[in-house]
Amino acid sequence: MKHPGSTFGMKTKFLFRSIKVLVLGFHCLIVHAQDCPKNIDFETGTFDGWTCHVGFLLEDGMTNVIRLSPTTQPVFNRHTMYSSLPGNGLDPYGNFPINCPNGSGHSVKLGNDEGGALAEGLSYEFTIPADRNLFTIIYNYAIVFQESPHLEYQQPRFEVEVTNLTRNQVISCSSLEFHPFGPLTPGFKIAPNFVNGVPLWYKEWTSNSINLNGHAGETIKLFFKTADCTYFDHFGYAYIDVNTECNAEFTGAKYCPGDTLINFTGPPGYRNYVWFNNDFTQVLGTDPILSLSPQAGIGAVIPVEVFPGDGYGCVDTFYARATNIFSVTANAGIDRSLCNNDSVFVGVSADPGLVYSWRPPQGLSDAAVSNPFANPVAPTNYILTVSSSGGGCMDQDTVFVNPSSVNDSLGVKGSLDYCDGNSDAPLFTVQPADSIQWYRDNVVINGANQTVYKPVESGEYYAALFNNDGCHAVTLKKIVDIDYPKQGINYPVKYAVANVPTDMEARSFGDIFLWKPSFNLNDPNINSPVFNGKTDQLYTIDIKTNSGCATVDTQLVKIIARPDIYVPTAFTPNQDGLNDILRPVLAGIKELHYFKIYNRWGQLIFETKNSGSGWDGKVKGVPVPIQAVVWVAEAVGWDNKIYFRKGISTIVK
């Protein structure tokens, strides 16, 4: 049997499979003790007395190293102060309270869930008064992990380091190190929420004690550290709240007149509890809560021996005493509007030793907690009844929860892709709301505040809607693409040899093509049919886009006696879109060997083997002045004969 003040010395190191670490909350049991370290529990709502650290994670060979440096102030999103107000609520992965269950007013979030191989720390140094040989602090923690294939030394981690600076010794039983590796550890659960499809495990609140008996006058340092994995993509963070308890006695029960029993509650998260009478000669119970009659409980100080999970800290003994209270106050919180089937918190954080009951229970996540989620289907008055755990000192309060919604549906008439001037332009509609604002490309459209809006420009449109209950909604976004018809053009004459297949080609901006008439074409409904005829033919090409824009081009096909190569005698490379390129016109040719251009001094300034390519009148990007150039071309005709041509073309500006 372990007696008061004893402890088991041990250094614990844990290996878990997975990669995401969340360590939540360190809170002390509440007692009015003197000479406790100032603000060690963050109850001022500040970091006074604490030193914040930031750094990063390193791989040193096969070793994981956390490198931290102190900062002059908390770093945004890495050292964050939280209060226990309703709405701060639950951890997003494990769905357990982010504040310690025994009523802490503040806790600190150490780190974040963004990864990046970063590390954070919080440290606190204090000296135990010289006359205090009995000195105990409790901290609580909860953990969440994400499964990962990383190696052991690459995992994220959480460390608690308690050091006696006077003796230069680590207090091993109170110092913990966690890094994920291996099989799922007993005591963990599968989290209801996954991250990117990856399962998570979590362990709810667990306590550990720092037994500093016999260290009077010595200086102690607490150091909490979190770090991401070395691969940058997984994270670890913590909510921390350290005990203000400076001895082994804590308020374990609250007694109220009219109670039929007194419930003593041990510190949360231990594996086993053993309650004794004052001289340790009788075991009174082995549950976390010990119920005694008022006659036995009033004024009593009840020892409780606590046993953490294997390897999770120290076996220790604490003393629970009953505090006499004469009334309780129910606080159901402020009236709330419930927007778009969301949930809201009602009530406030729990006060240890009190019992909470809500009615009606419909629409509440749990009618027996202090601040449940509320999601009623109709306006509801919820009545909160609060009493001491023994049944006395009852009080009631009421909160009104009003479900409210904004319809975010977006109606669309007409076509989102249309041609300017057509009658099928789109019209957007939304349901009536107290306030409406339309947006184009995330920019407010001035004056667009009605239930109907007709877009006149291409862009991405949506509406934001609000009601007088403070609820709002945003519609789906719709992209409008307004097309404009292109002017029809006449294509250059196409030369073809009689009864020799010749490729035709229309402009490619359309989606639907129709060559008229369809004579001598293999397919009149594509933009590049093949002509095979023996007489000249003039075609019109109807080109339509999916938006409804229509254009009519023309193409004249002239029949020649044999394959040939034609090159214009002049061209105007002035970038006006007309006759800007000097290129060969091939008639009855199936392959171009080369097309070359020489300047007046006989220097080669352009060549190509591509029948569709030509010269833009520039050499190395610089326009050539007005002059005559010599061209030569060689090709293979459809009759498999070689055709060679040469000539002169003049640059005209």
Side-chain angles (χ1 to χ4, degrees), residues 33 57 65 101 128 140 146 161 171 207 210 222 231 241 351 383 411 430 457 483 554 583 590 641 647:
L57 208 58
V65 179
I128 301 172
N140 300 314
Q146 181 186 10
E161 186 177 84
I171 302 176
S207 300
I210 305 172
L222 309 183
Y231 270 76
D241 190 5
D351 190 353
I383 301 172
V430 294
E457 297 179 88
D483 198 4
T554 59
R583 61 167 61 91
K590 67 178 182 179
K641 294 181 179 180

Side-chain angles (χ1 to χ4, degrees), residues 495 497 500-503 563-565 585-593 611 634-639 641 643:
Y495 295 95
V497 178
V500 175
T502 301
D503 292 333
D564 211 340
I565 303 172
V585 178
L586 306 178
I589 298 297
K590 67 178 182 179
E591 181 183 358
L592 178 67
H593 283 174
S611 61
E634 182 180 282
V636 179
W638 282 101
D639 54 5
K641 294 181 179 180
Y643 290 85

